[in-house]
Amino acid sequence: MTEVCKEERGPAERWSLRSGAVSVEILSLGCGIQSIRTPDHSGQSADIVLGYEDVEGYLSNPRYFGAVVGRVANRIAKGRFVVDEKEYKLSINNGPNALHGGLKGFDKAVWTTEAVDNGVKLSHSSPDGDEGYPGNLNASVTYRLEKNTLSVLYYAQTDRTTPINLTNHSYFNLAGQGTPDIYDHEVTISAESYLPVDDTMIPTGEVKPVDKTLFDLRKPVLLGSRLKELPGPGFDHNFCLCSPGDPPLERKCARVVHPGTGRVLEVSTTQPGVQFYTSNFLDGTLKGKGGAAYSKHSAFCLETQNWPDAVNQPHFPDALLRPGETYTHTTCFTFSVL
């Protein structure tokens, strides 16, 4: 059985989940993961996600450390979309585009909580017009820690048609948060194609095979050498896990190994995509746990989600949730040691 306990932390609650040698801390502010502690091959435990010591750090949290982002994770081109012949305009907060739900997205909300078997369920109600999105949306996220797997179940319903795309924005470093870089990590992503982007990070619409490109991560790739070869600041791309219209089956999508400690992270999901991001926009100015200065390439994110800007790209997987429908997806993070 997983040990579950709750404590008040100023403006939010912190829930602690422990199962064997793995422990996870969840905050009601932003429905976020504050810490994940796992052992290395010698039994030494370390926190492997970036973040802040105190809840207060999450009040601003400009890089979304650990948070659930929504209504729509990732970018919407020019902050505009059309539903039922009506155009909606969102706040522009990332170059010319809307990012991660807007200026006050789900990451800024304090979610309500309740204990469930082996975990905690967090709920949030987003009113009609919230950040420009249509419809009253009721969302919940359930975190469960069972043995060495953290499962995350997303659920939502609406009374008007709205785009939705929920994900968790945890930044991982399997050597331990605060380690300067992830160049010694080996990454595998089980994707046959990816989405090229324009200079504002919006998908061009092309679904490009990874074969014979630097985006072919189907076999283990050492991140340091691949990032040197890759044009631009690093990975910030959607890898396509299935084709539009495929049923939402749970698929293994990624495996990351840190040979130095032996830590392994495996990710599976029912989502059609995973955004692989190598913390290209961290620059050392944010100070995190233990006073660590989080710099470029000091962590990676595996944000399981729908394809970016899907609401504006008809040949991408459907991004709309309609009244009477249920949005539900599951992502699992499994921690082990070589």
Side-chain angles (χ1 to χ4, degrees), residues 110-137:
V110 176
W111 296 51
T112 60
T113 64
E114 62 179 293
V116 297
D117 288 347
N118 301 319
V120 58
K121 176 181 178 181
L122 300 98
S123 302
H124 175 58
S125 295
S126 173
D128 181 35
D130 188 14
E131 285 293 321
Y133 289 95
N136 296 291
L137 183 87

Side-chain angles (χ1 to χ4, degrees), residues 21-23 36-49 148 172-179 181-182 184-188 254-267 300 334-338:
V22 178
S23 64
I36 300 176
R37 298 189 68 86
T38 69
D40 64 9
H41 50 47
S42 64
Q44 291 294 312
S45 181
D47 186 355
I48 59 170
V49 292
N148 58 333
F172 293 92
N173 187 319
L174 300 185
Q177 73 83 29
T179 305
D181 61 64
I182 49 170
D184 55 355
H185 287 52
E186 295 173 354
V187 176
T188 309
R255 185 174 191 263
V256 185
V257 177
H258 182 247
T261 60
R263 289 192 182 92
V264 179
L265 169 63
E266 293 173 288
V267 183
F300 64 90
T334 299
F335 311 99
S336 59
V337 180
L338 289 175

Side-chain angles (χ1 to χ4, degrees), residues 17 22-23 69 116 136 141 144 156 207 212-213 224 258 303 319:
L17 316 179
V22 178
S23 64
V69 290
V116 297
N136 296 291
V141 177
R144 282 189 172 93
V207 181
K212 297 184 174 65
T213 75
H258 182 247
E303 303 161 64

Side-chain angles (χ1 to χ4, degrees), residues 123-187:
S123 302
H124 175 58
S125 295
S126 173
D128 181 35
D130 188 14
E131 285 293 321
Y133 289 95
N136 296 291
L137 183 87
N138 292 318
S140 70
V141 177
T142 302
Y143 292 100
R144 282 189 172 93
L145 182 61
E146 295 166 301
K147 295 185 178 177
N148 58 333
T149 295
L150 176 67
S151 64
V152 191
L153 171 64
Y154 301 92
Y155 173 94
Q157 290 186 318
T158 183
D159 62 3
R160 287 176 64 193
T161 301
T162 181
I164 186 171
N165 188 24
L166 303 180
T167 193
N168 180 277
H169 207 304
S170 286
Y171 290 69
F172 293 92
N173 187 319
L174 300 185
Q177 73 83 29
T179 305
D181 61 64
I182 49 170
Y183 299 146
D184 55 355
H185 287 52
E186 295 173 354
V187 176

Side-chain angles (χ1 to χ4, degrees), residues 65-241:
F65 292 142
V68 165
V69 290
R71 280 186 201 190
V72 176
N74 218 305
R75 296 170 179 87
I76 293 179
K78 299 181 173 57
R80 297 184 176 198
F81 61 88
V82 175
V83 171
D84 296 334
E85 300 182 351
K86 179 179 178 181
E87 184 180 61
Y88 292 87
K89 297 180 181 180
L90 310 173
S91 299
I92 304 301
N93 63 339
N94 185 255
N97 306 313
L99 176 71
H100 291 335
L103 298 173
K104 194 175 181 184
F106 288 11
D107 60 295
K108 300 292 189 293
V110 176
W111 296 51
T112 60
T113 64
E114 62 179 293
V116 297
D117 288 347
N118 301 319
V120 58
K121 176 181 178 181
L122 300 98
S123 302
H124 175 58
S125 295
S126 173
D128 181 35
D130 188 14
E131 285 293 321
Y133 289 95
N136 296 291
L137 183 87
N138 292 318
S140 70
V141 177
T142 302
Y143 292 100
R144 282 189 172 93
L145 182 61
E146 295 166 301
K147 295 185 178 177
N148 58 333
T149 295
L150 176 67
S151 64
V152 191
L153 171 64
Y154 301 92
Y155 173 94
Q157 290 186 318
T158 183
D159 62 3
R160 287 176 64 193
T161 301
T162 181
I164 186 171
N165 188 24
L166 303 180
T167 193
N168 180 277
H169 207 304
S170 286
Y171 290 69
F172 293 92
N173 187 319
L174 300 185
Q177 73 83 29
T179 305
D181 61 64
I182 49 170
Y183 299 146
D184 55 355
H185 287 52
E186 295 173 354
V187 176
T188 309
I189 297 180
S190 305
E192 302 291 325
S193 55
Y194 77 102
L195 301 180
V197 295
D198 65 17
D199 58 2
T200 72
M201 304 307 296
I202 293 292
T204 62
E206 179 185 8
V207 181
K208 187 170 184 177
V210 299
D211 194 40
K212 297 184 174 65
T213 75
L214 294 173
F215 294 85
D216 189 351
L217 305 178
R218 292 173 294 179
K219 294 181 179 176
V221 166
L222 185 66
L223 261 182
S225 54
R226 183 57 55 94
L227 285 169
K228 284 180 182 176
E229 296 178 84
L230 196 71
F235 287 102
D236 191 3
H237 297 78
N238 180 83
F239 286 77
C240 307
L241 304 177

